Amino acid sequence: MIKLVSASHYLQPVYDHAALTSLETALRGLCREPFRRIDRFIQLALLGSANCASGRKLRPDCGIYLGSGLGPIGNNVVTQEQLIRDLEIPKPFNFINTLGSSAGFYVARNLGLQGQNFFISRRGASLQAVLNAAMADMLLGFATQALVGVVEEVALPLDAHRLRQHLSQDILLAEGSHWLLLQSGASDSRSLDLKRFAEFAALEGFLKSAWRTGDRLCCTRSMETHAAKTMQQGFDAGALSGPTSAFHDSLEAAWLAAFAVSREPGTLFLVDGHPERGWSLFYLGA
Amino acid sequence: MAGAYIRGVGLSCALGEDAESCVSAMQRMQVRAVRLRLDEFDEPLQMPYYRIPDRSELFDAGRFERLLPPVAHAAVVQAGLTPEEIHRLPMFIGSSCFSIGLSESRYASALVQQPETAIPMPLCGYQDIAVILQRTLGCKGDTYTYNTACTSSANALLAALRMIELGWYRHALVVGAELANRTTLAGFSGLQVVAETLQPFDAARKGLLMGEGIGAVVLSAETDSANRLRVIGGASNCDTWSVTTANTDGNSVAKVLNQALHQIRVQPQQVRGIKAHGTATPAGDTAEALGLRQVFPSLPPVSVLKPYLGHTLGACCVNELILYAGALLYGFLPATPGFETPDPALGVQPITTPEPAPDGHYLLNHFGFGGNNTVLALEKIAP
């Protein structure tokens, strides 16, 4: 049985013509050493992971599973400007931080971890990708503890950030860092389960049998519209209110982390899939 | 020990544009680096480079979409999957460049044509490889895109293996892709780790040489009697000593090797050969060599494949796995061009002529920026 030991949830809307919120003061109390040459994506990862682990001594082999749709986009923008516009060789730390795995390195160093450390992306569903990977490793015994996080950064200016994601210019953007600490066999904690279904009818049948008043349902953005509507009509529509009206590429992670942090009763069901590839259902129970 | 069978492969690298000819070229010890020059900087960058021998211009924006699909298609065809299996095929992708070259080209064009509206990073490319392959192959399965520097495709493969072992998938397509781009070439030059010659584990080693390569492997829970190669496990860990290299005391390398051996329940003396990571950087080879010596009192034959195709970075695992596995099937352990003078501080001497490859267990090492160490285990099964 995989249990949720703790969670952290950082979601910050970014308004037009406003600066990004400085994270340095918050990080000062969370990092055991002053990291230099880190970018905002790494800062967001450090903030979320340290808050999630707060007050707990993690197992040294705790795995890190970091997901993101866009990764360190702010640093990548700077690096590409240096290279293509300014015709300069990228600075070493800018180049190294273009890799998604650099953030995992600093998270591991800050928390004293030496286990597996993965950066995984799936546009619009990075949470599902990292949860699948973490749960596979835990089910097979390759990790008894897993720090699962999803981080999305905003690169200014906002109009460019919207353009590169093909978003309309009136969408409110957000940054996020959402983390779950999972552990095999921990008691007195919510359980996190995963079921996979080849057919939509089987998924629907399972949900109907498991559904209790007050439960929440979240359909991922990547789901086919028809399937999502069918799901929503079949269950309590009130369950669909999310934690924000602002957008980033991994909003499902914000839903899940916000629910976990809130300690509200009931179960959150997170549905993902497609008629042609099958369906997955993560559920965070009472 | 469950594992997953290698049922189909495709490869395009400096050695050639199909897996079989690449393995044959490696057996002949063919080394084919070209001279590369980037003139746009104050001081032009020059370096030897292992490019895929297609006829297009190296930074041609259409190359990404042109070169990827045939390699994956070759793997899927060789695997003999049914249309339904292809339809549901999940993809596990490892890369350190993704579509960054295409992004660079578009930004450069925009700067010339409409500088006031040009935006850097016009593509957020993590998903691009999956999108192209899903469209061209007709796959609709789940996708997992790994970006853990030079262990990217190793970790992608490890995840595919584990999800097959859990029964979540029957087959999986694992892809490693690295194509020439200015970010990588200039970035590594800025780190001052690029050499003029590639001399892994040699006393005179000075650094790495980069290359491009696209590899694709279909892993499967099922096999037929003709299939003699199986990925049987592996291990991965994180070393936080430095963001650019494993600890040069070799301890974290030894730890991940021991984890892999423990997981596959094999003793060091049962290992028949090792494909080393062997970047030929002074620190990287030191960490790997000292780690190997901690685990293996007597080393089995060590091969380094980067002298054949360069360091293909996030794709190096899948590319080198295909070459090494192909060599095992041909019955030889690959020689290591470029190694001449042993370094007494390392105590690792790669083989310099091909040797026979018996049935049994083999390890494949991969280490990357971000402290990532990943070892995979392969079994050549007796007929």
Side-chain angles (χ1 to χ4, degrees):
Chain A
M1 181 73 81
I2 296 173
K3 297 279 193 171
L4 175 77
V5 177
S6 69
S8 72
H9 172 55
Y10 172 85
L11 186 71
Q12 181 63 51
V14 182
Y15 298 98
D16 286 286
H17 313 299
L20 297 173
T21 306
S22 171
L23 304 173
E24 284 175 16
T25 307
L27 282 173
R28 217 166 284 141
L30 292 169
C31 293
R32 64 182 193 178
E33 59 182 295
F35 295 115
R36 293 172 188 170
R37 296 171 181 162
I38 62 173
D39 59 30
R40 188 164 180 87
F41 186 77
I42 297 170
Q43 287 183 332
L44 285 163
L46 284 167
L47 176 78
S49 58
N51 275 326
C52 186
S54 178
R56 289 175 182 80
K57 183 158 175 58
L58 303 185
R59 298 170 184 173
D61 66 344
C62 175
I64 297 170
Y65 301 80
L66 172 58
S68 179
L70 275 67
I73 185 68
N75 177 69
N76 290 353
V77 163
V78 170
T79 306
Q80 196 161 92
E81 284 175 336
Q82 287 173 5
L83 187 72
I84 304 296
R85 186 191 63 195
D86 306 335
L87 303 179
E88 292 173 355
I89 304 287
K91 292 183 172 55
F93 70 91
N94 284 126
F95 173 60
I96 291 165
N97 290 346
T98 60
L99 297 163
S101 53
S102 290
F105 171 87
Y106 288 101
V107 169
R109 185 157 170 140
N110 190 43
L111 299 175
L113 303 180
Q114 297 152 18
Q116 303 182 115
N117 197 335
F118 301 129
F119 177 94
I120 311 168
S121 180
R122 185 190 297 168
R123 180 62 67 82
S126 293
L127 171 70
Q128 289 82 343
V130 284
L131 277 179
N132 269 308
M135 292 182 81
D137 285 355
M138 295 184 82
L139 291 169
L140 288 169
F142 290 109
T144 58
Q145 203 175 48
L147 196 53
V148 179
V150 171
V151 174
E152 296 295 352
E153 176 194 2
V154 166
L156 297 176
L158 294 181
D159 54 352
H161 196 67
R162 292 187 184 100
L163 275 174
R164 64 172 67 91
Q165 294 181 84
H166 309 290
L167 300 172
S168 74
Q169 288 296 332
D170 57 356
I171 283 186
L172 175 61
L173 298 170
E175 289 192 317
S177 184
H178 318 282
W179 291 76
L180 310 172
L181 178 61
L182 306 179
Q183 191 169 307
S184 299
S187 57
D188 302 331
S189 307
R190 285 180 185 271
S191 62
L192 181 67
D193 288 289
L194 165 63
K195 280 199 181 297
R196 304 171 74 86
F197 303 91
E199 304 299 333
F200 184 72
L203 162 69
E204 215 175 13
F206 176 83
L207 259 179
K208 277 179 182 159
S209 67
W211 189 265
R212 302 285 178 271
T213 304
D215 286 349
R216 305 287 185 100
L217 176 69
C218 175
C219 299
T220 63
R221 263 187 308 130
S222 57
M223 265 179 70
E224 197 180 55
T225 311
H226 173 71
K229 275 188 181 163
T230 305
M231 299 296 299
Q232 289 164 14
Q233 284 162 3
F235 299 93
D236 178 8
L240 292 165
S241 60
T244 180
S245 57
F247 174 86
H248 67 53
D249 195 66
S250 302
L251 270 187
E252 294 81 8
W255 287 56
L256 189 61
F259 180 75
V261 167
S262 74
R263 298 177 188 273
E264 288 178 28
T267 297
L268 177 74
F269 294 94
L270 176 63
V271 185
D272 183 32
H274 188 276
E276 293 182 294
R277 71 166 189 266
W279 306 87
S280 67
L281 177 69
F282 293 96
Y283 50 110
L284 185 58
Chain B
M1 192 191 304
Y5 294 89
I6 296 177
R7 226 169 102 163
V9 298
L11 179 63
S12 186
C13 67
L15 289 168
E17 293 192 78
D18 70 87
E20 200 171 329
S21 63
C22 288
V23 176
S24 295
M26 182 174 68
Q27 193 170 21
R28 297 192 304 272
M29 296 184 68
Q30 174 182 302
V31 174
R32 195 163 55 189
V34 298
R35 193 79 194 159
L36 181 66
R37 185 181 161 103
L38 298 179
D39 285 319
E40 60 262 48
F41 306 107
D42 284 344
E43 280 188 41
L45 294 181
Q46 295 190 67
M47 67 192 83
Y49 187 69
Y50 291 82
R51 66 160 292 171
I52 292 173
D54 64 319
R55 291 177 184 169
S56 45
E57 196 273 323
L58 192 65
F59 297 112
D60 174 0
R63 227 165 149 244
F64 184 69
E65 284 212 52
R66 208 162 49 240
L67 296 181
L68 263 171
V71 174
H73 185 254
V76 169
V77 167
Q78 191 182 45
L81 301 182
T82 66
E84 174 62 22
E85 287 170 334
I86 294 171
H87 205 65
R88 288 185 173 256
L89 191 64
M91 278 186 216
F92 294 79
I93 290 155
S95 177
S96 44
C97 70
F98 303 96
S99 57
I100 192 73
L102 187 55
S103 182
E104 291 166 357
S105 296
R106 289 196 183 170
Y107 180 45
S109 296
L111 282 171
V112 172
Q113 291 165 12
Q114 294 176 303
E116 64 284 355
T117 57
I119 63 166
M121 287 298 292
L123 300 174
C124 307
Y126 287 127
Q127 196 70 10
D128 290 347
I129 294 173
V131 168
I132 289 170
L133 294 180
Q134 284 190 320
R135 189 177 67 233
T136 53
L137 297 177
C139 305
K140 300 285 184 185
D142 292 331
T143 66
Y144 300 84
T145 295
Y146 280 73
N147 181 219
T148 54
C150 302
T151 58
S152 297
S153 59
N155 288 327
L157 194 138
L158 204 53
L161 172 68
R162 290 172 179 178
M163 292 185 199
I164 286 173
E165 287 182 339
L166 275 170
W168 290 0
Y169 308 117
R170 287 166 61 212
H171 316 282
L173 176 64
V174 186
V175 177
E178 173 68 28
L179 284 179
N181 65 86
R182 288 179 166 82
T183 305
T184 302
L185 294 167
F188 272 101
S189 293
L191 295 177
Q192 300 183 321
V193 293
V194 181
E196 278 296 315
T197 54
L198 194 52
Q199 299 170 282
F201 296 105
D202 193 283
R205 70 190 183 281
K206 290 193 171 58
L208 56 81
L209 290 182
M210 288 176 278
E212 43 178 20
I214 301 168
V217 173
V218 173
L219 289 182
S220 179
E222 299 142 23
T223 187
D224 54 45
S225 57
N227 198 313
R228 296 183 57 203
L229 287 171
R230 188 166 62 160
V231 182
I232 53 173
S236 183
N237 71 14
C238 181
D239 177 345
T240 57
W241 184 68
S242 160
V243 74
T244 53
T245 187
N247 194 325
T248 48
D249 65 10
N251 287 344
S252 70
V253 171
K255 184 177 172 187
V256 75
L257 284 163
N258 279 323
Q259 287 171 329
L261 289 169
H262 176 74
Q263 195 255 316
I264 62 171
R265 295 180 188 145
V266 163
Q267 297 298 313
Q269 61 271 23
Q270 293 175 274
V271 175
R272 299 292 170 234
I274 294 170
K275 183 219 62 86
H277 189 56
T279 57
T281 59
D285 282 6
T286 300
E288 183 170 17
L290 298 193
L292 283 167
R293 282 175 47 205
Q294 284 185 40
V295 176
F296 293 92
S298 172
L299 272 170
V302 172
S303 303
V304 184
L305 306 190
K306 288 179 176 63
Y308 297 105
L309 73 167
H311 192 350
T312 56
L313 307 172
C316 77
C317 165
V318 167
N319 294 338
E320 295 180 13
L321 169 74
I322 292 165
L323 288 174
Y324 198 68
L328 296 184
L329 285 181
Y330 275 45
F332 74 95
L333 295 175
T336 304
F339 175 76
E340 288 176 4
T341 310
D343 183 342
L346 303 189
V348 170
Q349 299 182 31
I351 57 175
T352 53
T353 54
E355 292 186 9
D359 299 332
H361 301 101
Y362 294 85
L363 295 183
L364 296 89
N365 291 350
H366 315 88
F367 310 108
F369 285 4
N372 241 276
N373 304 322
T374 303
V375 173
L376 296 176
L378 188 63
E379 183 184 17
K380 181 183 176 188
I381 304 163

Tab-separated table of all heavy atoms in Angstrom, chain A residues 65 116 118 133 136-138 140-143, chain B residues 3-4 92 155-169 219 233-236 263 374-376:
chain	number	residue	atom	x	y	z
A	65	TYR	N	11.160	12.248	-8.258
A	65	TYR	CA	10.481	12.148	-9.552
A	65	TYR	C	9.927	13.536	-9.853
A	65	TYR	O	8.908	13.928	-9.315
A	65	TYR	CB	9.359	11.107	-9.497
A	65	TYR	CG	9.855	9.727	-9.132
A	65	TYR	CD1	10.121	9.396	-7.803
A	65	TYR	CD2	10.084	8.774	-10.107
A	65	TYR	CE1	10.614	8.143	-7.472
A	65	TYR	CE2	10.567	7.509	-9.773
A	65	TYR	CZ	10.829	7.205	-8.455
A	65	TYR	OH	11.317	5.974	-8.118
A	116	GLN	N	17.220	7.276	-6.616
A	116	GLN	CA	16.935	7.565	-8.030
A	116	GLN	C	16.473	9.012	-8.169
A	116	GLN	O	15.847	9.551	-7.264
A	116	GLN	CB	15.861	6.616	-8.532
A	116	GLN	CG	16.242	5.154	-8.368
A	116	GLN	CD	15.176	4.235	-8.912
A	116	GLN	OE1	15.403	3.532	-9.869
A	116	GLN	NE2	14.007	4.260	-8.317
A	118	PHE	N	14.839	11.377	-11.239
A	118	PHE	CA	14.377	11.423	-12.630
A	118	PHE	C	13.644	12.719	-12.933
A	118	PHE	O	12.885	13.222	-12.103
A	118	PHE	CB	13.416	10.260	-12.909
A	118	PHE	CG	14.011	8.901	-12.669
A	118	PHE	CD1	13.346	7.963	-11.882
A	118	PHE	CD2	15.233	8.555	-13.212
A	118	PHE	CE1	13.890	6.713	-11.650
A	118	PHE	CE2	15.791	7.300	-12.986
A	118	PHE	CZ	15.112	6.373	-12.206
A	133	ALA	N	5.696	6.580	-12.932
A	133	ALA	CA	7.083	6.133	-12.738
A	133	ALA	C	7.368	5.849	-11.262
A	133	ALA	O	7.969	4.823	-10.911
A	133	ALA	CB	8.052	7.182	-13.277
A	136	ALA	N	5.425	2.726	-10.076
A	136	ALA	CA	6.025	1.494	-10.609
A	136	ALA	C	7.233	1.101	-9.766
A	136	ALA	O	7.385	-0.063	-9.372
A	136	ALA	CB	6.432	1.693	-12.069
A	137	ASP	N	8.089	2.065	-9.479
A	137	ASP	CA	9.284	1.757	-8.691
A	137	ASP	C	8.929	1.312	-7.277
A	137	ASP	O	9.569	0.425	-6.708
A	137	ASP	CB	10.204	2.993	-8.633
A	137	ASP	CG	10.943	3.204	-9.951
A	137	ASP	OD1	10.817	2.351	-10.850
A	137	ASP	OD2	11.632	4.226	-10.081
A	138	MET	N	7.914	1.933	-6.703
A	138	MET	CA	7.523	1.556	-5.331
A	138	MET	C	6.867	0.176	-5.321
A	138	MET	O	7.118	-0.642	-4.435
A	138	MET	CB	6.594	2.608	-4.734
A	138	MET	CG	7.286	3.961	-4.557
A	138	MET	SD	6.257	5.195	-3.764
A	138	MET	CE	6.487	4.736	-2.040
A	140	LEU	N	7.489	-2.244	-7.253
A	140	LEU	CA	8.516	-3.269	-7.487
A	140	LEU	C	9.600	-3.273	-6.416
A	140	LEU	O	10.515	-4.085	-6.461
A	140	LEU	CB	9.168	-3.051	-8.859
A	140	LEU	CG	8.285	-3.399	-10.067
A	140	LEU	CD1	8.913	-2.888	-11.362
A	140	LEU	CD2	8.054	-4.899	-10.160
A	141	GLY	N	9.517	-2.348	-5.473
A	141	GLY	CA	10.476	-2.323	-4.370
A	141	GLY	C	11.769	-1.583	-4.672
A	141	GLY	O	12.732	-1.691	-3.910
A	142	PHE	N	11.822	-0.840	-5.773
A	142	PHE	CA	13.039	-0.083	-6.076
A	142	PHE	C	13.130	1.201	-5.251
A	142	PHE	O	14.174	1.837	-5.199
A	142	PHE	CB	13.108	0.264	-7.559
A	142	PHE	CG	13.347	-0.938	-8.418
A	142	PHE	CD1	12.348	-1.443	-9.229
A	142	PHE	CD2	14.560	-1.598	-8.381
A	142	PHE	CE1	12.559	-2.570	-10.015
A	142	PHE	CE2	14.783	-2.727	-9.159
A	142	PHE	CZ	13.779	-3.212	-9.966
A	143	ALA	N	12.026	1.606	-4.683
A	143	ALA	CA	12.029	2.764	-3.778
A	143	ALA	C	10.955	2.507	-2.730
A	143	ALA	O	9.882	2.009	-3.051
A	143	ALA	CB	11.724	4.044	-4.551
B	3	GLY	N	12.591	-9.384	-16.707
B	3	GLY	CA	13.250	-8.723	-17.828
B	3	GLY	C	12.339	-8.529	-19.018
B	3	GLY	O	11.137	-8.831	-18.970
B	4	ALA	N	12.912	-7.996	-20.068
B	4	ALA	CA	12.177	-7.770	-21.314
B	4	ALA	C	13.109	-8.032	-22.477
B	4	ALA	O	14.303	-7.717	-22.416
B	4	ALA	CB	11.648	-6.332	-21.362
B	92	PHE	N	8.886	5.557	-24.568
B	92	PHE	CA	9.783	6.044	-23.523
B	92	PHE	C	10.953	6.711	-24.243
B	92	PHE	O	11.709	6.032	-24.943
B	92	PHE	CB	10.253	4.888	-22.640
B	92	PHE	CG	9.146	4.266	-21.846
B	92	PHE	CD1	8.258	3.374	-22.433
B	92	PHE	CD2	8.973	4.585	-20.503
B	92	PHE	CE1	7.225	2.810	-21.704
B	92	PHE	CE2	7.942	4.022	-19.761
B	92	PHE	CZ	7.059	3.137	-20.360
B	155	ASN	N	17.548	5.839	-18.397
B	155	ASN	CA	16.450	5.885	-17.427
B	155	ASN	C	15.104	5.632	-18.108
B	155	ASN	O	14.204	5.031	-17.501
B	155	ASN	CB	16.454	7.226	-16.694
B	155	ASN	CG	17.617	7.328	-15.723
B	155	ASN	OD1	18.032	6.322	-15.143
B	155	ASN	ND2	18.164	8.518	-15.537
B	156	ALA	N	14.971	6.074	-19.352
B	156	ALA	CA	13.745	5.777	-20.092
B	156	ALA	C	13.597	4.268	-20.279
B	156	ALA	O	12.515	3.694	-20.102
B	156	ALA	CB	13.769	6.486	-21.449
B	157	LEU	N	14.712	3.637	-20.615
B	157	LEU	CA	14.681	2.188	-20.830
B	157	LEU	C	14.389	1.430	-19.535
B	157	LEU	O	13.615	0.461	-19.515
B	157	LEU	CB	16.006	1.732	-21.442
B	157	LEU	CG	15.993	0.334	-22.027
B	157	LEU	CD1	16.732	0.306	-23.364
B	157	LEU	CD2	16.637	-0.677	-21.097
B	158	LEU	N	14.980	1.908	-18.454
B	158	LEU	CA	14.746	1.265	-17.155
B	158	LEU	C	13.268	1.364	-16.768
B	158	LEU	O	12.672	0.403	-16.267
B	158	LEU	CB	15.613	1.976	-16.110
B	158	LEU	CG	16.004	1.234	-14.841
B	158	LEU	CD1	16.641	-0.106	-15.131
B	158	LEU	CD2	16.950	2.097	-14.011
B	159	ALA	N	12.664	2.523	-17.021
B	159	ALA	CA	11.245	2.693	-16.699
B	159	ALA	C	10.377	1.781	-17.556
B	159	ALA	O	9.429	1.157	-17.064
B	159	ALA	CB	10.841	4.158	-16.906
B	160	ALA	N	10.705	1.692	-18.848
B	160	ALA	CA	9.945	0.814	-19.740
B	160	ALA	C	10.020	-0.625	-19.258
B	160	ALA	O	9.008	-1.342	-19.202
B	160	ALA	CB	10.489	0.925	-21.165
B	161	LEU	N	11.216	-1.038	-18.898
B	161	LEU	CA	11.419	-2.405	-18.411
B	161	LEU	C	10.547	-2.678	-17.188
B	161	LEU	O	9.871	-3.710	-17.085
B	161	LEU	CB	12.902	-2.583	-18.064
B	161	LEU	CG	13.306	-3.863	-17.355
B	161	LEU	CD1	13.132	-5.048	-18.287
B	161	LEU	CD2	14.756	-3.772	-16.889
B	162	ARG	N	10.562	-1.740	-16.255
B	162	ARG	CA	9.815	-1.954	-15.010
B	162	ARG	C	8.306	-1.985	-15.249
B	162	ARG	O	7.588	-2.775	-14.646
B	162	ARG	CB	10.200	-0.863	-14.001
B	162	ARG	CG	11.629	-1.040	-13.505
B	162	ARG	CD	12.126	0.104	-12.660
B	162	ARG	NE	13.495	-0.151	-12.214
B	162	ARG	CZ	14.212	0.696	-11.488
B	162	ARG	NH1	13.697	1.873	-11.133
B	162	ARG	NH2	15.440	0.388	-11.114
B	163	MET	N	7.825	-1.125	-16.132
B	163	MET	CA	6.378	-1.110	-16.385
B	163	MET	C	5.949	-2.350	-17.164
B	163	MET	O	4.828	-2.829	-16.990
B	163	MET	CB	5.982	0.191	-17.081
B	163	MET	CG	6.154	1.401	-16.152
B	163	MET	SD	5.568	2.945	-16.850
B	163	MET	CE	6.434	4.140	-15.806
B	164	ILE	N	6.839	-2.884	-17.980
B	164	ILE	CA	6.547	-4.171	-18.636
B	164	ILE	C	6.519	-5.273	-17.579
B	164	ILE	O	5.635	-6.131	-17.579
B	164	ILE	CB	7.607	-4.467	-19.730
B	164	ILE	CG1	7.354	-3.569	-20.941
B	164	ILE	CG2	7.572	-5.932	-20.136
B	164	ILE	CD1	8.438	-3.649	-22.008
B	165	GLU	N	7.468	-5.244	-16.660
B	165	GLU	CA	7.502	-6.274	-15.610
B	165	GLU	C	6.251	-6.228	-14.739
B	165	GLU	O	5.793	-7.251	-14.241
B	165	GLU	CB	8.768	-6.113	-14.761
B	165	GLU	CG	10.025	-6.547	-15.504
B	165	GLU	CD	11.293	-6.446	-14.675
B	165	GLU	OE1	11.312	-5.686	-13.681
B	165	GLU	OE2	12.261	-7.112	-15.035
B	166	LEU	N	5.699	-5.039	-14.556
B	166	LEU	CA	4.464	-4.920	-13.763
B	166	LEU	C	3.232	-5.366	-14.547
B	166	LEU	O	2.144	-5.485	-13.984
B	166	LEU	CB	4.263	-3.458	-13.338
B	166	LEU	CG	4.974	-3.007	-12.073
B	166	LEU	CD1	4.877	-1.487	-11.943
B	166	LEU	CD2	4.388	-3.668	-10.828
B	167	GLY	N	3.397	-5.576	-15.836
B	167	GLY	CA	2.262	-5.971	-16.665
B	167	GLY	C	1.433	-4.796	-17.152
B	167	GLY	O	0.358	-4.986	-17.716
B	168	TRP	N	1.934	-3.570	-16.948
B	168	TRP	CA	1.192	-2.400	-17.421
B	168	TRP	C	1.221	-2.336	-18.950
B	168	TRP	O	0.281	-1.875	-19.564
B	168	TRP	CB	1.789	-1.102	-16.853
B	168	TRP	CG	1.569	-0.936	-15.388
B	168	TRP	CD1	0.914	-1.797	-14.547
B	168	TRP	CD2	2.008	0.159	-14.575
B	168	TRP	NE1	0.925	-1.300	-13.267
B	168	TRP	CE2	1.584	-0.109	-13.255
B	168	TRP	CE3	2.720	1.322	-14.826
B	168	TRP	CZ2	1.835	0.760	-12.192
B	168	TRP	CZ3	2.985	2.182	-13.777
B	168	TRP	CH2	2.541	1.906	-12.468
B	169	TYR	N	2.320	-2.757	-19.528
B	169	TYR	CA	2.449	-2.786	-20.978
B	169	TYR	C	3.054	-4.125	-21.384
B	169	TYR	O	3.848	-4.700	-20.639
B	169	TYR	CB	3.378	-1.665	-21.478
B	169	TYR	CG	3.018	-0.285	-20.973
B	169	TYR	CD1	3.894	0.434	-20.162
B	169	TYR	CD2	1.803	0.306	-21.303
B	169	TYR	CE1	3.572	1.695	-19.689
B	169	TYR	CE2	1.474	1.574	-20.836
B	169	TYR	CZ	2.354	2.260	-20.026
B	169	TYR	OH	2.030	3.506	-19.560
B	219	LEU	N	11.074	-3.128	-26.674
B	219	LEU	CA	11.188	-4.106	-25.597
B	219	LEU	C	9.863	-4.846	-25.499
B	219	LEU	O	8.793	-4.261	-25.673
B	219	LEU	CB	11.461	-3.424	-24.260
B	219	LEU	CG	12.827	-2.795	-24.034
B	219	LEU	CD1	12.906	-2.222	-22.613
B	219	LEU	CD2	13.949	-3.794	-24.256
B	233	GLY	N	17.562	-5.954	-16.049
B	233	GLY	CA	17.418	-5.094	-14.879
B	233	GLY	C	18.390	-3.940	-14.922
B	233	GLY	O	18.980	-3.644	-15.961
B	234	GLY	N	18.567	-3.332	-13.773
B	234	GLY	CA	19.475	-2.206	-13.698
B	234	GLY	C	19.224	-1.398	-12.443
B	234	GLY	O	18.358	-1.743	-11.625
B	235	ALA	N	19.979	-0.347	-12.309
B	235	ALA	CA	19.854	0.497	-11.123
B	235	ALA	C	20.245	1.920	-11.477
B	235	ALA	O	20.979	2.158	-12.442
B	235	ALA	CB	20.749	-0.031	-9.999
B	236	SER	N	19.742	2.838	-10.685
B	236	SER	CA	20.045	4.251	-10.910
B	236	SER	C	20.165	4.942	-9.562
B	236	SER	O	19.415	4.629	-8.630
B	236	SER	CB	18.912	4.878	-11.735
B	236	SER	OG	19.204	6.225	-12.039
B	263	GLN	N	20.329	-6.472	-7.862
B	263	GLN	CA	18.969	-6.576	-8.417
B	263	GLN	C	18.851	-7.766	-9.371
B	263	GLN	O	17.830	-8.443	-9.407
B	263	GLN	CB	18.619	-5.264	-9.122
B	263	GLN	CG	17.141	-5.104	-9.419
B	263	GLN	CD	16.810	-5.305	-10.874
B	263	GLN	OE1	17.515	-4.797	-11.737
B	263	GLN	NE2	15.745	-6.029	-11.151
B	374	THR	N	23.440	5.475	-13.974
B	374	THR	CA	22.504	4.392	-14.302
B	374	THR	C	23.262	3.229	-14.948
B	374	THR	O	24.038	3.440	-15.887
B	374	THR	CB	21.406	4.890	-15.269
B	374	THR	OG1	20.738	6.003	-14.666
B	374	THR	CG2	20.384	3.797	-15.545
B	375	VAL	N	23.031	2.043	-14.424
B	375	VAL	CA	23.647	0.832	-14.972
B	375	VAL	C	22.535	-0.109	-15.423
B	375	VAL	O	21.573	-0.344	-14.685
B	375	VAL	CB	24.533	0.143	-13.906
B	375	VAL	CG1	25.040	-1.198	-14.419
B	375	VAL	CG2	25.710	1.041	-13.539
B	376	LEU	N	22.666	-0.622	-16.630
B	376	LEU	CA	21.699	-1.593	-17.140
B	376	LEU	C	22.370	-2.953	-17.267
B	376	LEU	O	23.579	-3.030	-17.483
B	376	LEU	CB	21.188	-1.161	-18.520
B	376	LEU	CG	20.401	0.140	-18.572
B	376	LEU	CD1	20.063	0.485	-20.013
B	376	LEU	CD2	19.129	0.035	-17.743
